[in-house]
PDB file of all heavy atoms in Angstrom:
ATOM      1  N   ALA O1340     103.401 105.621  85.542  1.00 96.00           N
ATOM      2  CA  ALA O1340     102.073 106.408  85.469  1.00 96.00           C
ATOM      3  C   ALA O1340     101.983 107.335  86.630  1.00 96.00           C
ATOM      4  O   ALA O1340     101.632 108.478  86.517  1.00 96.00           O
ATOM      5  CB  ALA O1340     100.845 105.467  85.411  1.00 96.00           C
ATOM      6  N   ALA O1341     102.312 106.848  87.825  1.00 94.00           N
ATOM      7  CA  ALA O1341     102.236 107.694  89.044  1.00 94.00           C
ATOM      8  C   ALA O1341     103.214 108.844  88.947  1.00 94.00           C
ATOM      9  O   ALA O1341     102.904 109.967  89.310  1.00 94.00           O
ATOM     10  CB  ALA O1341     102.497 106.863  90.331  1.00 94.00           C
ATOM     11  N   ARG O1342     104.446 108.611  88.477  1.00 94.00           N
ATOM     12  CA  ARG O1342     105.435 109.637  88.322  1.00 94.00           C
ATOM     13  C   ARG O1342     104.940 110.762  87.333  1.00 94.00           C
ATOM     14  O   ARG O1342     105.241 111.948  87.540  1.00 94.00           O
ATOM     15  CB  ARG O1342     106.793 109.082  87.784  1.00 94.00           C
ATOM     16  CG  ARG O1342     107.563 108.288  88.776  1.00 94.00           C
ATOM     17  CD  ARG O1342     108.809 107.766  88.147  1.00 94.00           C
ATOM     18  NE  ARG O1342     109.565 106.993  89.100  1.00 94.00           N
ATOM     19  CZ  ARG O1342     110.642 106.216  88.834  1.00 94.00           C
ATOM     20  NH1 ARG O1342     111.105 106.251  87.570  1.00 94.00           N
ATOM     21  NH2 ARG O1342     111.257 105.551  89.751  1.00 94.00           N
ATOM     22  N   LEU O1343     104.195 110.353  86.387  1.00 95.00           N
ATOM     23  CA  LEU O1343     103.725 111.318  85.352  1.00 95.00           C
ATOM     24  C   LEU O1343     102.339 111.852  85.691  1.00 95.00           C
ATOM     25  O   LEU O1343     101.771 112.739  84.942  1.00 95.00           O
ATOM     26  CB  LEU O1343     103.646 110.634  83.948  1.00 95.00           C
ATOM     27  CG  LEU O1343     104.978 110.228  83.412  1.00 95.00           C
ATOM     28  CD1 LEU O1343     104.781 109.267  82.207  1.00 95.00           C
ATOM     29  CD2 LEU O1343     105.790 111.456  82.978  1.00 95.00           C
ATOM     30  N   CYS O1344     101.699 111.346  86.764  1.00 91.00           N
ATOM     31  CA  CYS O1344     100.359 111.775  87.180  1.00 91.00           C
ATOM     32  C   CYS O1344      99.332 111.508  86.049  1.00 91.00           C
ATOM     33  O   CYS O1344      98.512 112.392  85.700  1.00 91.00           O
ATOM     34  CB  CYS O1344     100.314 113.235  87.606  1.00 91.00           C
ATOM     35  SG  CYS O1344     101.383 113.566  89.026  1.00 91.00           S
ATOM     36  N   VAL O1345      99.446 110.305  85.431  1.00 94.00           N
ATOM     37  CA  VAL O1345      98.493 109.896  84.397  1.00 94.00           C
ATOM     38  C   VAL O1345      97.968 108.505  84.750  1.00 94.00           C
ATOM     39  O   VAL O1345      98.509 107.808  85.605  1.00 94.00           O
ATOM     40  CB  VAL O1345      99.120 109.867  82.967  1.00 94.00           C
ATOM     41  CG1 VAL O1345      99.579 111.263  82.615  1.00 94.00           C
ATOM     42  CG2 VAL O1345     100.245 108.870  82.906  1.00 94.00           C
ATOM     43  N   THR O1346      96.904 108.078  84.065  1.00 94.00           N
ATOM     44  CA  THR O1346      96.445 106.703  84.333  1.00 94.00           C
ATOM     45  C   THR O1346      97.289 105.739  83.528  1.00 94.00           C
ATOM     46  O   THR O1346      98.043 106.095  82.633  1.00 94.00           O
ATOM     47  CB  THR O1346      94.987 106.571  83.739  1.00 94.00           C
ATOM     48  OG1 THR O1346      95.009 106.767  82.343  1.00 94.00           O
ATOM     49  CG2 THR O1346      94.054 107.588  84.431  1.00 94.00           C
ATOM     50  N   THR O1347      97.262 104.474  83.916  1.00 93.00           N
ATOM     51  CA  THR O1347      97.994 103.439  83.211  1.00 93.00           C
ATOM     52  C   THR O1347      97.538 103.313  81.788  1.00 93.00           C
ATOM     53  O   THR O1347      98.367 103.085  80.896  1.00 93.00           O
ATOM     54  CB  THR O1347      97.824 102.111  83.989  1.00 93.00           C
ATOM     55  OG1 THR O1347      98.280 102.265  85.314  1.00 93.00           O
ATOM     56  CG2 THR O1347      98.716 101.005  83.316  1.00 93.00           C
ATOM     57  N   ALA O1348      96.222 103.515  81.587  1.00 93.00           N
ATOM     58  CA  ALA O1348      95.684 103.498  80.234  1.00 93.00           C
ATOM     59  C   ALA O1348      96.299 104.629  79.348  1.00 93.00           C
ATOM     60  O   ALA O1348      96.682 104.305  78.109  1.00 93.00           O
ATOM     61  CB  ALA O1348      94.171 103.598  80.236  1.00 93.00           C
ATOM     62  N   THR O1349      96.426 105.771  79.868  1.00 93.00           N
ATOM     63  CA  THR O1349      97.037 106.885  79.130  1.00 93.00           C
ATOM     64  C   THR O1349      98.480 106.598  78.856  1.00 93.00           C
ATOM     65  O   THR O1349      98.988 106.766  77.677  1.00 93.00           O
ATOM     66  CB  THR O1349      96.946 108.182  79.927  1.00 93.00           C
ATOM     67  OG1 THR O1349      95.574 108.508  80.113  1.00 93.00           O
ATOM     68  CG2 THR O1349      97.660 109.339  79.297  1.00 93.00           C
ATOM     69  N   LEU O1350      99.155 106.005  79.811  1.00 95.00           N
ATOM     70  CA  LEU O1350     100.587 105.624  79.640  1.00 95.00           C
ATOM     71  C   LEU O1350     100.696 104.599  78.562  1.00 95.00           C
ATOM     72  O   LEU O1350     101.706 104.674  77.802  1.00 95.00           O
ATOM     73  CB  LEU O1350     101.220 105.219  80.979  1.00 95.00           C
ATOM     74  CG  LEU O1350     102.667 104.795  80.925  1.00 95.00           C
ATOM     75  CD1 LEU O1350     103.557 105.891  80.410  1.00 95.00           C
ATOM     76  CD2 LEU O1350     103.081 104.265  82.309  1.00 95.00           C
ATOM     77  N   THR O1351      99.852 103.671  78.504  1.00 95.00           N
ATOM     78  CA  THR O1351      99.903 102.560  77.562  1.00 95.00           C
ATOM     79  C   THR O1351      99.940 103.114  76.135  1.00 95.00           C
ATOM     80  O   THR O1351     100.691 102.598  75.289  1.00 95.00           O
ATOM     81  CB  THR O1351      98.681 101.533  77.733  1.00 95.00           C
ATOM     82  OG1 THR O1351      98.748 101.027  79.045  1.00 95.00           O
ATOM     83  CG2 THR O1351      98.733 100.455  76.704  1.00 95.00           C
ATOM     84  N   THR O1352      99.168 104.104  75.829  1.00 94.00           N
ATOM     85  CA  THR O1352      99.163 104.697  74.484  1.00 94.00           C
ATOM     86  C   THR O1352     100.575 105.290  74.167  1.00 94.00           C
ATOM     87  O   THR O1352     101.102 105.072  73.110  1.00 94.00           O
ATOM     88  CB  THR O1352      98.151 105.880  74.441  1.00 94.00           C
ATOM     89  OG1 THR O1352      96.893 105.328  74.745  1.00 94.00           O
ATOM     90  CG2 THR O1352      98.103 106.513  73.055  1.00 94.00           C
ATOM     91  N   ALA O1353     101.184 105.981  75.110  1.00 94.00           N
ATOM     92  CA  ALA O1353     102.559 106.559  74.855  1.00 94.00           C
ATOM     93  C   ALA O1353     103.534 105.463  74.776  1.00 94.00           C
ATOM     94  O   ALA O1353     104.451 105.519  73.908  1.00 94.00           O
ATOM     95  CB  ALA O1353     102.919 107.490  76.043  1.00 94.00           C
ATOM     96  N   VAL O1354     103.435 104.416  75.608  1.00 96.00           N
ATOM     97  CA  VAL O1354     104.385 103.298  75.595  1.00 96.00           C
ATOM     98  C   VAL O1354     104.340 102.542  74.301  1.00 96.00           C
ATOM     99  O   VAL O1354     105.367 102.173  73.732  1.00 96.00           O
ATOM    100  CB  VAL O1354     104.100 102.321  76.791  1.00 96.00           C
ATOM    101  CG1 VAL O1354     104.794 100.991  76.593  1.00 96.00           C
ATOM    102  CG2 VAL O1354     104.535 103.013  78.102  1.00 96.00           C
ATOM    103  N   ASN O1355     103.146 102.390  73.729  1.00 96.00           N
ATOM    104  CA  ASN O1355     103.017 101.717  72.446  1.00 96.00           C
ATOM    105  C   ASN O1355     103.767 102.423  71.356  1.00 96.00           C
ATOM    106  O   ASN O1355     104.521 101.842  70.589  1.00 96.00           O
ATOM    107  CB  ASN O1355     101.515 101.582  72.010  1.00 96.00           C
ATOM    108  CG  ASN O1355     100.748 100.582  72.860  1.00 96.00           C
ATOM    109  OD1 ASN O1355     101.329  99.721  73.566  1.00 96.00           O
ATOM    110  ND2 ASN O1355      99.463 100.706  72.847  1.00 96.00           N
ATOM    111  N   LYS O1356     103.670 103.724  71.367  1.00 95.00           N
ATOM    112  CA  LYS O1356     104.342 104.520  70.284  1.00 95.00           C
ATOM    113  C   LYS O1356     105.882 104.523  70.526  1.00 95.00           C
ATOM    114  O   LYS O1356     106.639 104.350  69.610  1.00 95.00           O
ATOM    115  CB  LYS O1356     103.857 105.987  70.367  1.00 95.00           C
ATOM    116  CG  LYS O1356     102.452 106.221  69.892  1.00 95.00           C
ATOM    117  CD  LYS O1356     102.059 107.640  69.965  1.00 95.00           C
ATOM    118  CE  LYS O1356     100.610 107.877  69.633  1.00 95.00           C
ATOM    119  NZ  LYS O1356     100.206 109.250  69.852  1.00 95.00           N
ATOM    120  N   LEU O1357     106.266 104.719  71.804  1.00 97.00           N
ATOM    121  CA  LEU O1357     107.710 104.746  72.142  1.00 97.00           C
ATOM    122  C   LEU O1357     108.457 103.368  71.930  1.00 97.00           C
ATOM    123  O   LEU O1357     109.542 103.335  71.419  1.00 97.00           O
ATOM    124  CB  LEU O1357     107.948 105.258  73.520  1.00 97.00           C
ATOM    125  CG  LEU O1357     107.625 106.708  73.791  1.00 97.00           C
ATOM    126  CD1 LEU O1357     107.626 107.051  75.271  1.00 97.00           C
ATOM    127  CD2 LEU O1357     108.602 107.605  73.030  1.00 97.00           C
ATOM    128  N   GLU O1358     107.699 102.308  72.162  1.00 97.00           N
ATOM    129  CA  GLU O1358     108.249 100.990  71.946  1.00 97.00           C
ATOM    130  C   GLU O1358     108.423 100.762  70.446  1.00 97.00           C
ATOM    131  O   GLU O1358     109.389 100.257  69.944  1.00 97.00           O
ATOM    132  CB  GLU O1358     107.417  99.951  72.620  1.00 97.00           C
ATOM    133  CG  GLU O1358     108.005  98.532  72.427  1.00 97.00           C
ATOM    134  CD  GLU O1358     107.092  97.480  73.084  1.00 97.00           C
ATOM    135  OE1 GLU O1358     105.862  97.556  72.989  1.00 97.00           O
ATOM    136  OE2 GLU O1358     107.633  96.524  73.658  1.00 97.00           O
ATOM    137  N   LYS O1359     107.413 101.103  69.689  1.00 96.00           N
ATOM    138  CA  LYS O1359     107.358 100.869  68.252  1.00 96.00           C
ATOM    139  C   LYS O1359     108.510 101.712  67.576  1.00 96.00           C
ATOM    140  O   LYS O1359     109.115 101.189  66.670  1.00 96.00           O
ATOM    141  CB  LYS O1359     106.034 101.344  67.686  1.00 96.00           C
ATOM    142  CG  LYS O1359     105.860 101.115  66.230  1.00 96.00           C
ATOM    143  CD  LYS O1359     104.468 101.481  65.713  1.00 96.00           C
ATOM    144  CE  LYS O1359     104.293 101.265  64.206  1.00 96.00           C
ATOM    145  NZ  LYS O1359     102.996 101.634  63.774  1.00 96.00           N
ATOM    146  N   ARG O1360     108.817 102.869  68.144  1.00 95.00           N
ATOM    147  CA  ARG O1360     109.873 103.704  67.543  1.00 95.00           C
ATOM    148  C   ARG O1360     111.280 103.348  68.116  1.00 95.00           C
ATOM    149  O   ARG O1360     112.221 103.981  67.724  1.00 95.00           O
ATOM    150  CB  ARG O1360     109.513 105.127  67.835  1.00 95.00           C
ATOM    151  CG  ARG O1360     108.293 105.579  67.011  1.00 95.00           C
ATOM    152  CD  ARG O1360     107.857 106.954  67.257  1.00 95.00           C
ATOM    153  NE  ARG O1360     108.837 107.924  66.795  1.00 95.00           N
ATOM    154  CZ  ARG O1360     108.734 109.172  67.134  1.00 95.00           C
ATOM    155  NH1 ARG O1360     107.781 109.666  67.838  1.00 95.00           N
ATOM    156  NH2 ARG O1360     109.691 110.041  66.652  1.00 95.00           N
ATOM    157  N   GLY O1361     111.313 102.378  69.043  1.00 96.00           N
ATOM    158  CA  GLY O1361     112.619 101.912  69.548  1.00 96.00           C
ATOM    159  C   GLY O1361     113.188 102.653  70.696  1.00 96.00           C
ATOM    160  O   GLY O1361     114.480 102.501  70.946  1.00 96.00           O
ATOM    161  N   PHE O1362     112.427 103.468  71.421  1.00 96.00           N
ATOM    162  CA  PHE O1362     113.016 104.218  72.490  1.00 96.00           C
ATOM    163  C   PHE O1362     112.893 103.479  73.864  1.00 96.00           C
ATOM    164  O   PHE O1362     113.658 103.800  74.762  1.00 96.00           O
ATOM    165  CB  PHE O1362     112.245 105.616  72.684  1.00 96.00           C
ATOM    166  CG  PHE O1362     112.578 106.531  71.529  1.00 96.00           C
ATOM    167  CD1 PHE O1362     111.718 106.683  70.492  1.00 96.00           C
ATOM    168  CD2 PHE O1362     113.726 107.209  71.500  1.00 96.00           C
ATOM    169  CE1 PHE O1362     112.009 107.517  69.434  1.00 96.00           C
ATOM    170  CE2 PHE O1362     114.049 108.106  70.457  1.00 96.00           C
ATOM    171  CZ  PHE O1362     113.132 108.264  69.409  1.00 96.00           C
ATOM    172  N   ILE O1363     111.933 102.609  73.991  1.00 97.00           N
ATOM    173  CA  ILE O1363     111.739 101.873  75.209  1.00 97.00           C
ATOM    174  C   ILE O1363     111.538 100.378  74.989  1.00 97.00           C
ATOM    175  O   ILE O1363     111.194  99.972  73.888  1.00 97.00           O
ATOM    176  CB  ILE O1363     110.558 102.420  76.078  1.00 97.00           C
ATOM    177  CG1 ILE O1363     109.234 102.194  75.370  1.00 97.00           C
ATOM    178  CG2 ILE O1363     110.744 103.916  76.394  1.00 97.00           C
ATOM    179  CD1 ILE O1363     108.042 102.517  76.237  1.00 97.00           C
ATOM    180  N   ARG O1364     111.753  99.662  76.068  1.00 97.00           N
ATOM    181  CA  ARG O1364     111.520  98.189  76.053  1.00 97.00           C
ATOM    182  C   ARG O1364     110.451  97.847  77.094  1.00 97.00           C
ATOM    183  O   ARG O1364     110.436  98.369  78.184  1.00 97.00           O
ATOM    184  CB  ARG O1364     112.832  97.519  76.385  1.00 97.00           C
ATOM    185  CG  ARG O1364     112.863  96.016  76.364  1.00 97.00           C
ATOM    186  CD  ARG O1364     114.275  95.494  76.569  1.00 97.00           C
ATOM    187  NE  ARG O1364     115.290  96.021  75.700  1.00 97.00           N
ATOM    188  CZ  ARG O1364     116.211  96.885  76.149  1.00 97.00           C
ATOM    189  NH1 ARG O1364     116.231  97.361  77.302  1.00 97.00           N
ATOM    190  NH2 ARG O1364     117.111  97.387  75.300  1.00 97.00           N
ATOM    191  N   ARG O1365     109.525  96.987  76.654  1.00 95.00           N
ATOM    192  CA  ARG O1365     108.499  96.534  77.549  1.00 95.00           C
ATOM    193  C   ARG O1365     108.628  95.021  77.743  1.00 95.00           C
ATOM    194  O   ARG O1365     108.683  94.307  76.731  1.00 95.00           O
ATOM    195  CB  ARG O1365     107.163  96.895  76.952  1.00 95.00           C
ATOM    196  CG  ARG O1365     105.955  96.478  77.740  1.00 95.00           C
ATOM    197  CD  ARG O1365     104.609  96.844  77.164  1.00 95.00           C
ATOM    198  NE  ARG O1365     104.583  97.331  75.795  1.00 95.00           N
ATOM    199  CZ  ARG O1365     103.572  97.957  75.272  1.00 95.00           C
ATOM    200  NH1 ARG O1365     102.468  98.243  75.975  1.00 95.00           N
ATOM    201  NH2 ARG O1365     103.580  98.297  73.984  1.00 95.00           N
ATOM    202  N   GLU O1366     108.679  94.598  79.056  1.00 93.00           N
ATOM    203  CA  GLU O1366     108.879  93.170  79.323  1.00 93.00           C
ATOM    204  C   GLU O1366     107.958  92.778  80.518  1.00 93.00           C
ATOM    205  O   GLU O1366     107.737  93.587  81.388  1.00 93.00           O
ATOM    206  CB  GLU O1366     110.327  92.836  79.683  1.00 93.00           C
ATOM    207  CG  GLU O1366     111.255  93.138  78.581  1.00 93.00           C
ATOM    208  CD  GLU O1366     112.736  93.094  79.012  1.00 93.00           C
ATOM    209  OE1 GLU O1366     113.029  93.307  80.214  1.00 93.00           O
ATOM    210  OE2 GLU O1366     113.608  92.724  78.199  1.00 93.00           O
ATOM    211  N   ARG O1367     107.620  91.563  80.578  1.00 90.00           N
ATOM    212  CA  ARG O1367     106.875  91.044  81.728  1.00 90.00           C
ATOM    213  C   ARG O1367     107.853  90.795  82.822  1.00 90.00           C
ATOM    214  O   ARG O1367     108.957  90.318  82.569  1.00 90.00           O
ATOM    215  CB  ARG O1367     106.132  89.737  81.337  1.00 90.00           C
ATOM    216  CG  ARG O1367     105.027  89.891  80.428  1.00 90.00           C
ATOM    217  CD  ARG O1367     103.795  90.303  81.159  1.00 90.00           C
ATOM    218  NE  ARG O1367     102.749  90.606  80.144  1.00 90.00           N
ATOM    219  CZ  ARG O1367     101.626  91.247  80.483  1.00 90.00           C
ATOM    220  NH1 ARG O1367     101.476  91.700  81.731  1.00 90.00           N
ATOM    221  NH2 ARG O1367     100.772  91.558  79.591  1.00 90.00           N
ATOM    222  N   ASP O1368     107.453  91.063  84.032  1.00 81.00           N
ATOM    223  CA  ASP O1368     108.252  90.808  85.250  1.00 81.00           C
ATOM    224  C   ASP O1368     108.416  89.266  85.357  1.00 81.00           C
ATOM    225  O   ASP O1368     107.414  88.499  85.288  1.00 81.00           O
ATOM    226  CB  ASP O1368     107.561  91.423  86.467  1.00 81.00           C
ATOM    227  CG  ASP O1368     108.438  91.271  87.716  1.00 81.00           C
ATOM    228  OD1 ASP O1368     108.994  90.224  87.988  1.00 81.00           O
ATOM    229  OD2 ASP O1368     108.512  92.333  88.467  1.00 81.00           O
ATOM    230  N   VAL O1369     109.634  88.823  85.600  1.00 84.00           N
ATOM    231  CA  VAL O1369     109.859  87.331  85.699  1.00 84.00           C
ATOM    232  C   VAL O1369     109.231  86.738  86.943  1.00 84.00           C
ATOM    233  O   VAL O1369     108.780  85.565  86.919  1.00 84.00           O
ATOM    234  CB  VAL O1369     111.357  86.995  85.621  1.00 84.00           C
ATOM    235  CG1 VAL O1369     111.945  87.256  84.223  1.00 84.00           C
ATOM    236  CG2 VAL O1369     112.148  87.751  86.646  1.00 84.00           C
ATOM    237  N   GLU O1370     109.118  87.528  88.009  1.00 86.00           N
ATOM    238  CA  GLU O1370     108.520  87.052  89.266  1.00 86.00           C
ATOM    239  C   GLU O1370     106.991  87.174  89.275  1.00 86.00           C
ATOM    240  O   GLU O1370     106.373  86.374  89.896  1.00 86.00           O
ATOM    241  CB  GLU O1370     109.177  87.763  90.483  1.00 86.00           C
ATOM    242  CG  GLU O1370     110.633  87.462  90.660  1.00 86.00           C
ATOM    243  CD  GLU O1370     111.251  88.208  91.717  1.00 86.00           C
ATOM    244  OE1 GLU O1370     110.531  88.803  92.529  1.00 86.00           O
ATOM    245  OE2 GLU O1370     112.522  88.263  91.817  1.00 86.00           O
ATOM    246  N   ASP O1371     106.483  88.211  88.627  1.00 85.00           N
ATOM    247  CA  ASP O1371     105.052  88.419  88.618  1.00 85.00           C
ATOM    248  C   ASP O1371     104.632  88.787  87.234  1.00 85.00           C
ATOM    249  O   ASP O1371     104.773  89.949  86.806  1.00 85.00           O
ATOM    250  CB  ASP O1371     104.657  89.552  89.624  1.00 85.00           C
ATOM    251  CG  ASP O1371     103.146  89.824  89.643  1.00 85.00           C
ATOM    252  OD1 ASP O1371     102.399  89.262  88.852  1.00 85.00           O
ATOM    253  OD2 ASP O1371     102.769  90.613  90.533  1.00 85.00           O
ATOM    254  N   ARG O1372     104.211  87.780  86.430  1.00 83.00           N
ATOM    255  CA  ARG O1372     103.935  87.953  84.988  1.00 83.00           C
ATOM    256  C   ARG O1372     102.846  89.000  84.734  1.00 83.00           C
ATOM    257  O   ARG O1372     102.671  89.477  83.619  1.00 83.00           O
ATOM    258  CB  ARG O1372     103.565  86.651  84.380  1.00 83.00           C
ATOM    259  CG  ARG O1372     104.616  85.535  84.549  1.00 83.00           C
ATOM    260  CD  ARG O1372     105.811  85.713  83.707  1.00 83.00           C
ATOM    261  NE  ARG O1372     105.519  85.780  82.265  1.00 83.00           N
ATOM    262  CZ  ARG O1372     106.287  86.281  81.328  1.00 83.00           C
ATOM    263  NH1 ARG O1372     107.410  86.883  81.701  1.00 83.00           N
ATOM    264  NH2 ARG O1372     105.943  86.277  80.115  1.00 83.00           N
ATOM    265  N   ARG O1373     102.089  89.430  85.810  1.00 84.00           N
ATOM    266  CA  ARG O1373     101.057  90.428  85.606  1.00 84.00           C
ATOM    267  C   ARG O1373     101.684  91.822  85.435  1.00 84.00           C
ATOM    268  O   ARG O1373     101.042  92.683  84.833  1.00 84.00           O
ATOM    269  CB  ARG O1373     100.099  90.422  86.753  1.00 84.00           C
ATOM    270  CG  ARG O1373      99.259  89.111  86.843  1.00 84.00           C
ATOM    271  CD  ARG O1373      98.520  89.138  88.201  1.00 84.00           C
ATOM    272  NE  ARG O1373      99.451  89.178  89.287  1.00 84.00           N
ATOM    273  CZ  ARG O1373      99.162  89.324  90.617  1.00 84.00           C
ATOM    274  NH1 ARG O1373      97.915  89.396  90.901  1.00 84.00           N
ATOM    275  NH2 ARG O1373     100.122  89.300  91.526  1.00 84.00           N
ATOM    276  N   LYS O1374     102.788  92.007  85.908  1.00 89.00           N
ATOM    277  CA  LYS O1374     103.486  93.317  85.882  1.00 89.00           C
ATOM    278  C   LYS O1374     104.196  93.492  84.521  1.00 89.00           C
ATOM    279  O   LYS O1374     104.889  92.635  84.052  1.00 89.00           O
ATOM    280  CB  LYS O1374     104.546  93.463  87.016  1.00 89.00           C
ATOM    281  CG  LYS O1374     103.975  93.720  88.362  1.00 89.00           C
ATOM    282  CD  LYS O1374     105.067  93.951  89.300  1.00 89.00           C
ATOM    283  CE  LYS O1374     104.594  94.149  90.721  1.00 89.00           C
ATOM    284  NZ  LYS O1374     105.718  94.334  91.628  1.00 89.00           N
ATOM    285  N   VAL O1375     104.028  94.698  83.971  1.00 90.00           N
ATOM    286  CA  VAL O1375     104.737  95.041  82.713  1.00 90.00           C
ATOM    287  C   VAL O1375     105.879  96.033  83.145  1.00 90.00           C
ATOM    288  O   VAL O1375     105.552  97.102  83.772  1.00 90.00           O
ATOM    289  CB  VAL O1375     103.810  95.694  81.702  1.00 90.00           C
ATOM    290  CG1 VAL O1375     104.601  96.184  80.485  1.00 90.00           C
ATOM    291  CG2 VAL O1375     102.715  94.736  81.320  1.00 90.00           C
ATOM    292  N   MET O1376     107.098  95.660  82.889  1.00 95.00           N
ATOM    293  CA  MET O1376     108.239  96.454  83.244  1.00 95.00           C
ATOM    294  C   MET O1376     108.696  97.263  82.037  1.00 95.00           C
ATOM    295  O   MET O1376     108.764  96.783  80.944  1.00 95.00           O
ATOM    296  CB  MET O1376     109.369  95.541  83.793  1.00 95.00           C
ATOM    297  CG  MET O1376     108.939  94.605  84.898  1.00 95.00           C
ATOM    298  SD  MET O1376     108.405  95.489  86.378  1.00 95.00           S
ATOM    299  CE  MET O1376     109.964  96.090  87.017  1.00 95.00           C
ATOM    300  N   LEU O1377     109.074  98.542  82.332  1.00 97.00           N
ATOM    301  CA  LEU O1377     109.559  99.405  81.249  1.00 97.00           C
ATOM    302  C   LEU O1377     111.013  99.757  81.511  1.00 97.00           C
ATOM    303  O   LEU O1377     111.426  99.978  82.652  1.00 97.00           O
ATOM    304  CB  LEU O1377     108.768 100.745  81.222  1.00 97.00           C
ATOM    305  CG  LEU O1377     107.256 100.589  80.951  1.00 97.00           C
ATOM    306  CD1 LEU O1377     106.618 101.978  80.986  1.00 97.00           C
ATOM    307  CD2 LEU O1377     106.965  99.867  79.632  1.00 97.00           C
ATOM    308  N   SER O1378     111.816  99.832  80.415  1.00 97.00           N
ATOM    309  CA  SER O1378     113.199 100.343  80.531  1.00 97.00           C
ATOM    310  C   SER O1378     113.497 101.030  79.238  1.00 97.00           C
ATOM    311  O   SER O1378     112.796 100.860  78.239  1.00 97.00           O
ATOM    312  CB  SER O1378     114.140  99.153  80.839  1.00 97.00           C
ATOM    313  OG  SER O1378     114.036  98.194  79.801  1.00 97.00           O
ATOM    314  N   LEU O1379     114.583 101.752  79.259  1.00 98.00           N
ATOM    315  CA  LEU O1379     114.981 102.499  78.018  1.00 98.00           C
ATOM    316  C   LEU O1379     115.967 101.609  77.221  1.00 98.00           C
ATOM    317  O   LEU O1379     116.751 100.916  77.746  1.00 98.00           O
ATOM    318  CB  LEU O1379     115.692 103.827  78.392  1.00 98.00           C
ATOM    319  CG  LEU O1379     114.913 104.804  79.227  1.00 98.00           C
ATOM    320  CD1 LEU O1379     115.749 106.068  79.502  1.00 98.00           C
ATOM    321  CD2 LEU O1379     113.654 105.206  78.454  1.00 98.00           C
ATOM    322  N   THR O1380     115.838 101.757  75.890  1.00 97.00           N
ATOM    323  CA  THR O1380     116.836 101.202  74.982  1.00 97.00           C
ATOM    324  C   THR O1380     118.004 102.194  74.914  1.00 97.00           C
ATOM    325  O   THR O1380     117.977 103.302  75.497  1.00 97.00           O
ATOM    326  CB  THR O1380     116.224 101.051  73.598  1.00 97.00           C
ATOM    327  OG1 THR O1380     115.862 102.320  73.108  1.00 97.00           O
ATOM    328  CG2 THR O1380     115.042 100.073  73.644  1.00 97.00           C
TER     329      THR O1380
END
């Protein structure tokens, strides 16, 4: 979100679409379950 200069809420909308379409992966951080980690498929 900081890299894109958007809010986390705004990013969440994009992430939902991109994950559903198979472009990205969203996972919880194993050390801090509060963090949502993003990576590319």
Side-chain angles (χ1 to χ4, degrees):
R1342 286 179 182 173
L1343 294 168
C1344 299
V1345 299
T1346 65
T1347 304
T1349 298
L1350 178 61
T1351 299
T1352 303
V1354 165
N1355 290 341
K1356 290 178 186 176
L1357 290 169
E1358 182 181 38
K1359 185 177 180 180
R1360 293 175 66 192
F1362 291 100
I1363 66 170
R1364 185 177 304 106
R1365 180 177 14 197
E1366 300 170 329
R1367 291 276 172 195
D1368 188 312
V1369 290
E1370 294 175 13
D1371 182 351
R1372 303 287 299 157
R1373 296 171 297 174
K1374 286 185 182 177
V1375 176
M1376 306 298 285
L1377 300 178
S1378 60
L1379 299 181
T1380 62

